[in-house]
Structure formats: structure tokens, C-alpha cells
Amino acid sequence: MSRRALVTGGCGFIGSNLVKELISQGWTVDVVDNLSNGDIGLIEGVAEIRVLPNSSFLNAYKQQEIDRTNDKILMIEDDFASLGMLMYINDEHYDVVFHQAAVPRVSYSVENPAETTHENVTKSVALLEACVGAVDRVVLASSSSVYGGADDLPTKETHQKSPKSPYAWQKSTIEDFAAIAGELYELDIVCLRYFNVFGPGQYGDSPYSTAVSAWCHAAKNGTPCRSDGDGTQSRDLCYVDNVVNANILAANSEDAFYGKCYNIACGDRTSNNEILSYFKKNFNVTVNKAPWRPGDIMHTQADITAAKKDLGYEPTVRFWEGLEKTIEWWGLNG
């Protein structure tokens, strides 16, 4: 019998890539996404999809009309913390919950701290509560932003957390609750601190888009690339396939975690100026200078020793190879 997974935010960038790989490995996958930021097109073509439209899931569940015998992907168009979804999770329908859903943009959280705290903290606590006694493991998407501007590079998981934005604090808070849930409720949660994920399926047409996707969008549409600050800031940029692999390794591990956190990255870093130089050389783009972003930090670089040791994680796609794959997805080489 195949393992059963729920992927929250499964029509988003990371979630959709995870869904595709889970299906390829034989998992039975449900996706819950309210489509406020997600796109169902990102999971089309990999398997047959049955869509339960918004607000119909609770009725279908109460009337026992949810049949999972034939569908490869059940796409539930709903909030991951809706009453119907929480009841269904608590009714032991899943082996693993991959919690990818969030409002992920730092600058948006600075502008909307109350809204993003409700989305990223309150609803996530409700989800984890529903998982108690009902699932084998939760794989929780966290962020390198919990460290703030860490002085020690590469940064280990033992480094003191110092979040500099509401989003970073929200991720830090959920990590803290994961440890509490492990102790109080024996809920096995593993937290993965993603470092600057990029790759296919990540759109760049929003003010809150990440740098690589925004620059690909600009090159595709003939518009200037925006450079925040002086461009010397650097990031440990992690191609999405590495993150997907880490999620599945964490789900399949025979160890118990109870809130333990792991850095998921490549263990190196690349500056904005280096990447922009590549774009200027290959796509003849112009660069517009912009002010530093509130809540932004200068450098990130992960120590991935613990993930290698405990999860068997190894970043198989390094930055420049990942950038080429991303550029191909954008159709910039044709």
C-alpha cells in the first residue's frame, strides 16, 4: 500500500515540485491550497487530478463522499486550517503532512504583521493540533531567516536565533511550538530551514518575488532588473530539487525528531552582483538601483553537516546548474 501524504500549499512553487516527486515515487497525494498564491497548472500533467472546489470539502467529508481509491491527486481548494480540513486530518487519513503553505515574503510581512501572523502562526498551530495522534510525521517548512544576520558563516542550527522581520519571527515561533508539541503531545515534527529556494514554477511578476525569479521575469519581458542596496549581499541559493529531496528524506527517516531543525541549502553563497553580471552578459538587461529592503540581511550561508549526517541529505544541484535549469524553464534560451 502506498504511503499517504497531504501537501499544504501544494499548488505553490515548492509544494508543486514536491507533489510531482511524491507521485513519481508512488505516494498517494492530497493537496490543499486556497489558490490565493498557488496555480493548479503547476501540478497538471503528472497524474489524474480530482478537484474539490472551495467550500465543498466539509460537506463531502461529512457525507463520506471522499473516495481515494482511484485518484492519484486529490486537489482540495480550501484553506489548510478550515474546519473540514482539520477534521479530515485528525481522522487519520495521512501518514505524513508536508506543511509548505505560508505567506512567505519578508517585505509583505513587514507591511502586514497581524495578517501574516494569523496565516503563518495561528493557522499552523491549528494544523499541528489536528495532526496529534493522527499522523506519523509532519515535515515543516521553516526558513533561514530565523537566524537574522548571523555573524558566523557558515551558520549551524545551534546558532542563536535572531529574527529581523515578522516573517522570520513567525517561522521561529512555529519551530518553538514544534518542539513543545513534540514534548507535550509526542507529535513527531522535523523542521527544515530553507535557504533562498529558487527554480522552475517560481513566478517573478510580484513586488514580493524572490530575486532570481524577478530577474528571470525581467529578462523574459524586456524590463529592467531591480537591484536592492549595493548588490554585495550574498545568499546560499538552493535549487528546488534539493529541497524536495530533503523533504522526502525527512519523511522516510526511521529516526524520531520531535521538533529538531535542519539547514537545507548548498553550503556556499553567491552575491547579487555576480548573478546580475551573468544576466547583463547573457540577456542584455539593464539594472535599476533600489533602496535596501526593510528586514533584509546581508549574507546567508548554511552549515549542512547535520542534514547530511541525520537525513542523508546532499545538494545534488548547485547554484549555476540550477540557474541554467531555471532559465530553460523560463524559455530564455530559445
Side-chain angles (χ1 to χ4, degrees):
M1 182 177 178
S2 65
R3 300 186 74 193
R4 306 163 301 166
L6 174 68
V7 181
T8 72
C11 292
F13 161 49
I14 297 174
S16 64
N17 281 281
L18 175 59
V19 167
K20 293 173 185 176
E21 184 59 26
L22 288 169
I23 290 293
S24 75
Q25 294 190 19
W27 290 63
T28 298
V29 180
D30 288 3
V31 169
V32 58
D33 199 307
N34 63 11
L35 300 182
S36 60
N37 294 300
D39 179 358
I40 196 170
L42 292 175
I43 59 171
E44 290 177 343
V46 294
E48 181 180 349
I49 302 174
R50 181 161 64 105
V51 178
L52 280 177
N54 190 25
S55 76
S56 67
F57 180 71
L58 179 58
N59 288 334
Y61 170 54
K62 286 182 175 179
Q63 296 170 22
Q64 299 183 333
E65 295 176 349
I66 302 174
D67 181 7
R68 294 299 285 113
T69 55
N70 297 317
D71 298 307
K72 275 292 184 181
I73 301 177
L74 176 64
M75 163 55 197
I76 303 160
E77 187 184 342
D78 204 349
D79 193 296
F80 71 82
S82 70
L83 177 60
M85 197 69 247
L86 296 178
M87 291 173 62
Y88 193 68
I89 292 168
N90 195 244
D91 205 20
E92 301 184 29
H93 287 280
Y94 303 113
D95 299 307
V96 179
V97 172
F98 296 91
H99 184 33
Q100 305 296 317
V103 180
R105 299 281 72 84
V106 168
S107 52
Y108 187 83
S109 78
V110 172
E111 297 162 5
N112 302 276
E115 174 196 342
T116 52
T117 296
H118 179 67
E119 293 292 327
N120 293 340
V121 177
T122 305
K123 288 184 178 181
S124 292
V125 170
L127 174 76
L128 297 178
E129 181 181 11
C131 291
V132 173
V135 305
D136 295 333
R137 177 165 298 151
V138 178
V139 183
L140 182 71
S142 189
S143 168
S144 63
S145 63
V146 301
Y147 296 117
D151 295 326
D152 296 332
L153 299 176
T155 308
K156 295 183 178 182
E157 291 87 350
T158 52
H159 191 282
Q160 182 176 353
K161 296 193 291 185
S162 182
K164 304 298 185 187
S165 69
Y167 171 74
W169 169 78
Q170 291 151 12
K171 286 298 186 182
S172 176
T173 298
I174 284 300
E175 286 185 355
D176 293 343
F177 183 77
I180 292 170
E183 185 174 347
L184 283 180
Y185 313 120
E186 297 185 350
L187 179 60
D188 191 6
I189 306 171
V190 55
C191 305
L192 304 182
R193 291 176 177 167
Y194 302 160
F195 278 66
N196 305 97
V197 189
F198 74 100
Q202 187 179 45
Y203 296 119
D205 55 355
S206 163
Y208 307 107
S209 298
T210 59
V212 170
S213 61
W215 294 336
C216 286
H217 178 85
K220 180 77 172 179
N221 292 276
T223 57
C225 294
R226 191 187 80 191
S227 177
D228 299 320
D230 63 9
T232 58
Q233 60 268 54
S234 63
R235 298 287 182 267
D236 192 334
L237 292 147
C238 189
Y239 187 67
V240 67
D241 286 5
N242 299 326
V243 170
V244 167
N245 184 43
N247 271 268
I248 297 174
L249 287 169
N252 289 335
S253 175
E254 295 181 359
D255 295 335
F257 297 98
Y258 299 117
K260 193 168 183 179
C261 301
Y262 293 94
N263 293 333
I264 304 301
C266 287
D268 52 25
R269 54 193 170 105
T270 310
S271 74
N272 285 4
N273 285 338
E274 289 177 274
I275 304 167
L276 285 169
S277 293
Y278 174 93
F279 273 84
K280 286 189 287 186
K281 177 181 177 181
N282 289 276
F283 306 113
N284 196 30
V285 299
T286 58
V287 176
N288 285 352
K289 295 292 185 180
W292 293 98
R293 293 189 305 171
D296 209 354
I297 58 178
M298 278 301 296
H299 305 291
T300 66
Q301 184 179 358
D303 185 318
I304 55 175
T305 304
K308 287 182 174 183
K309 177 178 179 291
D310 293 357
L311 303 178
Y313 168 75
E314 190 68 46
T316 57
V317 181
R318 296 288 176 169
F319 172 69
W320 293 106
E321 180 187 353
L323 182 60
E324 289 292 338
K325 291 174 178 286
T326 304
I327 285 169
E328 182 179 354
W329 180 80
W330 277 90
L332 290 172
N333 288 331

